[in-house]
Amino acid sequence: MKAGQTICTKQIGDLELLFRFFLESDAQAMADYINRISTERTYITFQGEQVALEYEQEYLSNLAEKMEKNEKTIIQAWSDSELVGLLDIRGEERTDHHKVSLGITVKKEFRGLGIGKTLLKVAPDFIKAEMPHVKIVWLTVFGNNQRAMHLYQQLGFKEFGRLPRGSTYCEWYVDQMYMYLDVDSSNST
């Protein structure tokens, strides 16, 4: 995996989408994207908070180091010069090094077009190729986000736990769901 490397392109209606790995020079686009998503108060951990450009620059610099070691990366979805979605792939450490967690977001006006599904579909192949030690992909989802849970289940993720009132969504406590996907082709169970 290389910074900025194209993973695939996809035509969705009138949109020509580019899916690629992040570049450190994406810091402004990333900060703008996170700040926009955060104001939507959607199903993410940012609920109105804003990030500064300097924060995002430091984050991407640290991420670039981890990417070189195949420990972590971000796959972005672009429509022309607009960042419209991203998938954060975070490798774990020590006794959990065989797992990665995912975080996914798509801009509001681009939801329902298959961008999130495409991001999630490219992840297992990328993980198998670049992170062969990884056996389990997992994520959390807000318990009231039925649309996301349905998509994850459709792609083979299975629920393995629920933390009652584990997340805050718009000042309300909601259950936090835990889901996983076994990417170990040698697993016979």
Side-chain angles (χ1 to χ4, degrees), residues 112-163:
L113 301 176
I115 295 169
K117 188 174 193 175
T118 300
L119 286 165
L120 287 165
K121 280 184 165 185
V122 300
D125 290 336
F126 158 75
I127 291 166
K128 288 177 190 176
E130 301 292 335
M131 306 168 107
H133 61 282
V134 171
K135 309 299 179 202
I136 298 170
V137 176
W138 70 278
L139 52 80
T140 61
V141 60
F142 288 76
N144 59 338
N145 190 350
Q146 297 298 315
R147 187 176 183 179
M149 283 192 287
H150 176 73
L151 173 62
Y152 301 145
Q153 289 167 344
Q154 186 180 40
L155 295 173
F157 284 82
K158 297 176 184 155
E159 183 181 329
F160 71 92
R162 173 188 299 251
L163 179 61

